């Protein structure tokens, strides 16, 4: 049994194998290879706890056996929600070792997101953490078990000792039969990655061992990782950027050390960088700005060699300040959980690094930049970026309707990003076609929030638009047509009661008589953005 996904066409499969992108190895090999080379090297630093590669491997094996003894089998799925703790990686590898396919939800996700994922994957296993308000008592788990009868095994990690909470699963006996620890085949789905989404409920992205392994290997190479690398994971661990670009998995592949930060604030991160000699970190633009501000009156972060910034547009002025203020190189990263990742290279000239979002990591990343009719734009002109390649997915998980829209006839994924290509082949992200809010790197579909607003009895119509924000890049404004007297406070309360993640709550509300529509009868979001911009924020 395995989780179904849209395969790449045969000719491309052959090509990706021949060229060595797909090596026919499962992601778990990444750990076992390190065991042969340097088992005692430190893989993870998490608070005061350190785990060597041997320990991480043994831990994940014992968890894998424990899960399997609980009846979990290859092809089952798991819903996992953990903060930035070592357990995240132990559980991830444990599940890969038995072919259980996880969805790793963000810690900022709430009831609505978790329930939507659970509905989609019908998990047999739930692992979460009591520190999250949703799991502070058993009510939500109980409701989930009623809604999803397939959910057989639940483990809520305790507040203080995560490791102890997992102990019931950690089988210490190693009399493992070969069949017990059989993961999914390298060409099959290793896990389901989260999409930022541009319509309705959040979508899931099947990532195979072959495609993901390639993307993290190539990323590690481009970023110059070695066994000496010390990588600060300050973004939410499940996100594609800190997981594979090159992220923690890229670091493990090279035998370096992942230093986990509980949050990305400068006070926490600067201390970790100094204490552990961190040389590479990945952040989103607002965090980079906070780091710049804090660094101005601090001692230098002398070990930091490279700061990767991505997930949202990095302003050129901010980009220029990074090397000067933080004393490290900057790398811009323009990636997507769906696949394609662009990097500025370590040896690119400064202007390229400051003014572009890099170029694709693989020579077999095919990129088209097209006009609204789908025709390629002239050189240097703006259009939508479409892509296919050895680590770009071919279809969302069980979303036929969305997939019909999201790919063109040649199997190129429509990213929804508006870009321009420079003469040197570097990409500049100039805007977005998709109806999404990108709040400092955290994305969600405008439609998701609009649907929630419309569940309020006093709301006749609603549209969510992005508004520019100096720190976050974008914030959200809900434009609503109310039936009666309703206040932002009541609307926020209503949304919270629905269980939506906090970062999706509108930052601002505008009450209108009616929403402007286009000639085609659709809500005119451009007109709305202009209208919101013309009104003072209150
Ligand atoms: C990363 O992945 P996602 O899936 O959270 O978001 C992808 C979207 C892109 O389509 C684009 O709209 C935006 O986020 N984005 C950027 C950007 N990086 C991502 N927009 C402008 N400039 C950038 N540098 O965000 C992601 C995945 C892997 C590595 C890095 C980021």
């Amino acid at each position: 049994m395995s989780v179904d996904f849209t395969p790449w066409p045969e000719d491309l499969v052959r090509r990706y194998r021949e060229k060595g992108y797909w090596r026919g190895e499962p992601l778990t090999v990444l750990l076992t290879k390190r065991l042969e080379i340097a088992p005692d090297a430190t893989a993870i630093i998490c608070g005061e706890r350190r785990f060597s590669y041997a320990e991480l491997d043994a831990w994940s094996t014992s968890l894998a056996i424990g899960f399997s003894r609980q009846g979990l089998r290859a092809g089952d799925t798991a819903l996992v929600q953990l903060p930035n703790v070592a357990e995240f990686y132990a559980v991830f590898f444990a599940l890969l070792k038995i072919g259980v396919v996880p969805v790793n939800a963000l810690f900022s996700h709430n009831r609505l997101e978790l329930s939507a994922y659970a509905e989609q994957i019908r998990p047999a296993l739930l692992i979460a953490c009591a520190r999250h308000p949703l799991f502070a008592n058993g009510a939500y788990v109980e409701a989930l078990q009623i809604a999803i009868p397939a959910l057989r095994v639940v483990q809520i990690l305790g507040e203080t000792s995560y490791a102890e909470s997992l102990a019931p699963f950690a089988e210490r006996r190693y009399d493992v039969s070969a069949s017990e620890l059989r993961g999914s085949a390298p060409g099959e789905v290793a896990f389901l990655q989260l999409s930022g989404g541009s319509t309705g409920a959040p979508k899931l992205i099947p990532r195979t061992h072959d495609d993901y392994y390639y993307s993290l290997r190539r990323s590690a190479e481009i970023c110059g990782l070695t066994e000496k690398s010390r990588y600060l994971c300050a973004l939410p661990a499940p996100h594609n950027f800190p997981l594979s670009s090159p992220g923690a998995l890229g670091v493990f592949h090279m035998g370096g050390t992942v230093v986990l930060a509980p949050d990305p604030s400068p006070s926490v991160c600067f201390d970790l960088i100094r204490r552990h000699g961190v040389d590479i970190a990945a952040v989103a633009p607002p965090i980079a700005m906070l780091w710049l501000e804090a660094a101005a009156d601090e001692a230098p972060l002398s070990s930091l060699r490279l700061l990767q910034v991505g997930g949202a547009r990095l302003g050129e002025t901010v980009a220029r300040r990074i090397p000067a203020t933080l004393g490290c190189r900057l790398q811009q990263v323009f990636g997507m959980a769906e696949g394609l990742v662009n990097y500025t290279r370590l040896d690119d000239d400064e202007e390229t690094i400051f003014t572009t979002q890099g170029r694709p990591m693989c020579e077999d990343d095919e990129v088209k930049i097209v006009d609204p009719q789908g025709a390629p734009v002239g050189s240097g002109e703006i259009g939508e970026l479409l892509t296919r390649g050895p680590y770009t997915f071919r279809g969302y998980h069980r979303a036929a309707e969305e997939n019909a829209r999201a790919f063109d006839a040649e199997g190129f994924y429509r990213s929804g990003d508006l870009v321009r290509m420079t003469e040197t082949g570097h990409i500049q992200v100039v805007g977005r076609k998709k109806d999404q809010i990108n709040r400092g790197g955290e994305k969600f579909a405008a439609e998701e929030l609009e649907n929630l607003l419309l569940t309020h009895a006093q709301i006749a119509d609603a549209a969510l638009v992005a508004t520019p924000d100096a720190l976050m890049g974008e914030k959200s404004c809900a434009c609503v047509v109310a039936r009666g007297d309703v206040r932002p406070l009541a609307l926020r309360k209503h949304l919270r009661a629905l269980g939506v993640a906090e970062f999706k709550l509108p930052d601002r509300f505008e009450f209108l008589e009616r929403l402007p529509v286009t000639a085609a009868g659709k809500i005119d979001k451009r007109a709305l953005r202009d209208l919101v911009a013309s009104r003072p924020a209150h």
Side-chain angles (χ1 to χ4, degrees), residues 194-211:
L194 313 174
S195 145
S198 50
T199 56
K203 305 279 178 301
L204 293 167
I205 303 160
R207 301 295 309 245
T208 66
H209 293 270
D210 271 333
D211 94 67

Side-chain angles (χ1 to χ4, degrees), residues 194-196 239-241 245 309-314 332-338 340-341 357 415 417 429 432 434 436 438 441 443:
L194 313 174
S195 145
H239 192 279
N240 213 51
F241 188 9
S245 306
V309 184
R313 216 189 99 75
L314 176 67
Q332 295 214 39
V333 187
F334 161 43
M336 49 201 79
E338 284 81 357
L340 180 73
V341 184
Q357 281 63 59
S415 73
D417 291 314
V429 185
R432 185 174 60 225
K434 54 191 167 190
Q436 189 182 67
N438 185 342
K443 293 106 188 166

Side-chain angles (χ1 to χ4, degrees), residues 320-516:
R320 288 183 189 279
R321 284 176 56 207
I322 288 173
T325 312
L326 294 173
C328 64
R329 289 190 72 87
L330 164 69
Q331 178 181 55
Q332 295 214 39
V333 187
F334 161 43
M336 49 201 79
E338 284 81 357
L340 180 73
V341 184
N342 303 276
Y343 295 99
T344 57
R345 304 300 201 261
L346 302 184
D347 58 0
D348 275 343
D349 60 72
E350 287 211 312
E351 282 312 297
T352 301
I353 293 174
F354 294 146
T355 61
T356 82
Q357 281 63 59
R359 58 190 169 86
M361 66 166 129
C362 176
E363 61 176 27
D364 277 282
D365 280 324
E366 300 173 75
V367 167
K368 290 199 275 200
I369 302 177
V370 304
D371 67 17
Q373 284 71 44
V377 299
S379 87
E381 281 175 28
I382 295 171
E384 183 187 6
L385 182 148
L386 273 63
T387 184
R388 65 180 188 189
Y391 61 97
T392 295
F393 84 139
R394 306 290 294 208
Y396 290 104
H397 180 65
R398 297 189 186 160
E401 216 176 288
E402 176 73 13
N403 287 338
R405 263 196 306 269
F407 294 85
D408 78 357
E410 295 175 313
F412 281 67
Y413 164 62
R414 301 180 203 274
S415 73
D417 291 314
L418 294 174
V419 306
R420 175 196 298 130
M421 193 174 277
T422 67
E423 273 171 18
T424 52
H426 289 82
I427 291 172
Q428 292 171 320
V429 185
V430 297
R432 185 174 60 225
K433 216 180 138 186
K434 54 191 167 190
D435 197 7
Q436 189 182 67
I437 309 290
N438 185 342
R439 198 176 180 281
E442 295 191 290
K443 293 106 188 166
F444 59 100
E447 193 190 2
E448 188 186 0
L449 249 280
E450 291 161 1
N451 290 340
L452 297 179
L453 282 164
L454 288 169
T455 65
H456 192 283
Q458 297 293 327
I459 299 293
D461 213 349
L464 199 74
V465 294
T467 56
D469 181 81
L471 179 63
M472 301 302 282
E474 287 173 22
K475 281 190 171 176
S476 65
C477 174
C479 302
V480 295
V481 179
R483 291 201 174 90
D485 186 26
V486 58
R487 300 282 157 89
L489 200 66
L491 292 176
R492 282 211 180 86
K493 203 171 154 204
H494 176 72
L495 292 171
R496 278 209 179 92
L498 291 173
V500 69
E502 200 74 8
F503 70 84
K504 297 179 186 173
L505 294 183
D507 294 286
R508 176 175 163 187
F509 286 87
E510 284 295 335
F511 294 87
L512 306 173
E513 291 285 315
R514 79 185 82 80
L515 299 181

Side-chain angles (χ1 to χ4, degrees), residues 208-225:
T208 66
H209 293 270
D210 271 333
D211 94 67
Y212 214 61
Y213 204 167
Y214 169 70
S215 89
L216 67 94
R217 272 197 326 266
R218 178 68 182 133
S219 297
E221 187 180 9
I222 286 175
C223 299
L225 296 190

